[in-house]
Amino acid sequence: MKHKAIILAILSITTICSYSKSSNIKINCKKNPLYCHILSIKPSINHKFAFKLSNLLVYYARKYKMDPWRSLAIAIQESSLQATKRYETVYIPVKKCSNNHCKTLYRKVNGISDLGYFQLHAKTVMHHNFNPNLILNDLNYMVKTHYIVLAEKIRQCHKLGQEAWSCYHSKTPMLRKKYLRRVNQYYPTAH
């Protein structure tokens, strides 16, 4: 089944070499294979957006010496290439005092836990002092911050060799291996 999906993706890439819907520019899939791969997976995606995303993935991949295909697969797994904010409910402790007697109450708060196409966790955003507004609204910044985080995770898990990137999601072996399988379904073996 997995091999059929890969073959279909490769066939789609070779047949997409056509006019872009939104720009009437002939796209050469040999020169822009990442773009064509995006269209093969998400045919209804805005073509200008897909072209910009593919160019940014390639640009920052070169800068950080990474694999743009891997980052695209991560983005597809994380958000299906849709602007996404994942919310999480947390409890915030609030002290209530009266007559020299204090007690702690907990108030429920709904906050954003993961941001953007690459679903950067809020703690990661804070740790790196990234601008959350730019992660959500500036594609260039979003891709750049993704590569910064991915490079850090690969360094932390360098002992895993070719699978070090899978620490992007989790260092826990069971979760990491599950994530590896999920991302690999969007990662073409021949590119």
Side-chain angles (χ1 to χ4, degrees):
M1 184 74 167
K2 185 177 176 183
H3 295 311
K4 283 183 181 179
I6 291 170
I7 290 168
L8 284 173
I10 291 169
L11 288 173
S12 296
I13 290 170
T14 58
T15 58
I16 289 176
C17 191
S18 62
Y19 288 93
S20 174
K21 287 181 192 173
S22 56
S23 65
N24 290 333
I25 298 170
K26 187 164 173 75
I27 300 298
N28 182 334
C29 288
K30 288 183 181 179
K31 289 183 180 178
N32 303 290
L34 204 63
Y35 168 74
C36 292
H37 184 63
I38 293 170
L39 295 185
S40 72
I41 290 173
K42 303 280 291 180
S44 63
I45 198 166
N46 178 292
H47 289 221
K48 285 183 181 180
F49 165 78
F51 195 69
K52 183 176 181 181
L53 175 62
S54 68
N55 286 338
L56 288 169
L57 286 168
V58 170
Y59 173 79
Y60 284 110
R62 286 182 184 145
K63 184 174 180 172
Y64 290 97
K65 296 176 177 65
M66 301 271 202
D67 179 359
W69 295 89
R70 178 63 64 203
S71 288
L72 175 60
I74 288 170
I76 294 167
Q77 169 57 36
E78 292 291 343
S79 68
S80 297
L81 297 180
Q82 295 176 13
T84 303
K85 292 179 259 186
R86 188 170 295 143
Y87 290 89
E88 185 175 293
T89 301
V90 295
Y91 286 103
I92 295 179
V94 179
K95 273 193 175 180
K96 290 277 190 172
C97 298
S98 64
N99 300 333
N100 293 331
H101 178 28
C102 294
K103 63 181 177 178
T104 302
L105 302 173
Y106 295 90
R107 185 170 54 114
K108 270 199 250 186
V109 176
N110 197 22
I112 297 172
S113 62
D114 299 286
L115 302 114
Y117 296 104
F118 300 97
Q119 291 293 277
L120 292 181
H121 194 276
K123 287 180 183 178
T124 302
V125 172
M126 288 183 258
H127 169 76
H128 288 281
N129 202 26
F130 293 150
N131 182 326
N133 191 45
L134 290 177
I135 289 174
L136 288 168
N137 299 303
D138 183 325
L139 188 59
N140 183 64
Y141 189 80
M142 189 185 308
V143 173
K144 180 181 178 182
T145 56
H146 157 73
Y147 276 113
I148 290 169
V149 172
L150 183 59
E152 178 182 71
K153 298 294 185 177
I154 288 172
R155 280 191 304 276
Q156 290 172 355
C157 296
H158 71 279
K159 291 181 181 178
L160 294 172
Q162 297 285 62
E163 294 181 359
W165 65 266
S166 62
C167 286
Y168 184 80
H169 176 69
S170 176
K171 290 181 188 177
T172 305
M174 184 181 77
L175 296 175
R176 189 184 59 72
K177 287 177 182 177
K178 188 176 183 180
Y179 186 71
L180 190 135
R181 285 189 303 275
R182 286 182 173 171
V183 170
N184 277 343
Q185 70 183 337
Y186 302 111
Y187 183 78
T189 54
H191 53 269

